[in-house]
Amino acid sequence: MNQFEQAVADSKGLSEKPSNETLLQLYSLYKQATEGDINTDPPANPFDFVAKAKYNAWEDQKGKTREAAMAAYIALVSKLKDN
């Protein structure tokens, strides 16, 4: 198991649930690391705030390399584990 896969596994077993902002960071970094730049249309429903937040968070990662996203994800999970 590589460091990224280990961080993904570790993120599911954190002792405390991260804040919504941190969860969005984890989501967007994971999507950028595994799929690259955002490749979907914005949510059609303007009242689907969760989908919109996820879309915007991933869009904010645009241009970041997969390697950089993986490194940032690993660092964030490591920081969360240490808290």
Side-chain angles (χ1 to χ4, degrees):
M1 184 180 291
N2 68 31
Q3 278 187 305
F4 180 69
E5 291 167 345
Q6 183 62 54
V8 170
D10 290 347
S11 73
K12 295 175 182 160
L14 294 170
S15 57
E16 280 186 34
K17 183 177 188 274
S19 68
N20 286 340
E21 184 179 319
T22 302
L23 288 172
L24 279 172
Q25 254 189 305
L26 287 169
Y27 169 82
S28 63
L29 289 169
Y30 178 83
K31 293 296 274 185
Q32 189 70 18
T34 58
E35 296 185 35
D37 284 345
I38 193 160
N39 54 12
T40 60
D41 293 328
N45 180 348
F47 299 105
D48 189 345
F49 300 113
V50 172
K52 185 165 178 49
K54 288 171 122 178
Y55 179 88
N56 290 340
W58 186 9
E59 189 176 46
D60 287 345
Q61 300 296 335
K62 197 171 194 169
K64 185 175 280 186
T65 65
R66 289 176 188 241
E67 293 76 18
M70 283 184 189
Y73 185 94
I74 292 165
L76 179 55
V77 171
S78 178
K79 183 177 145 197
L80 292 170
K81 278 175 42 181
D82 291 343
N83 283 347

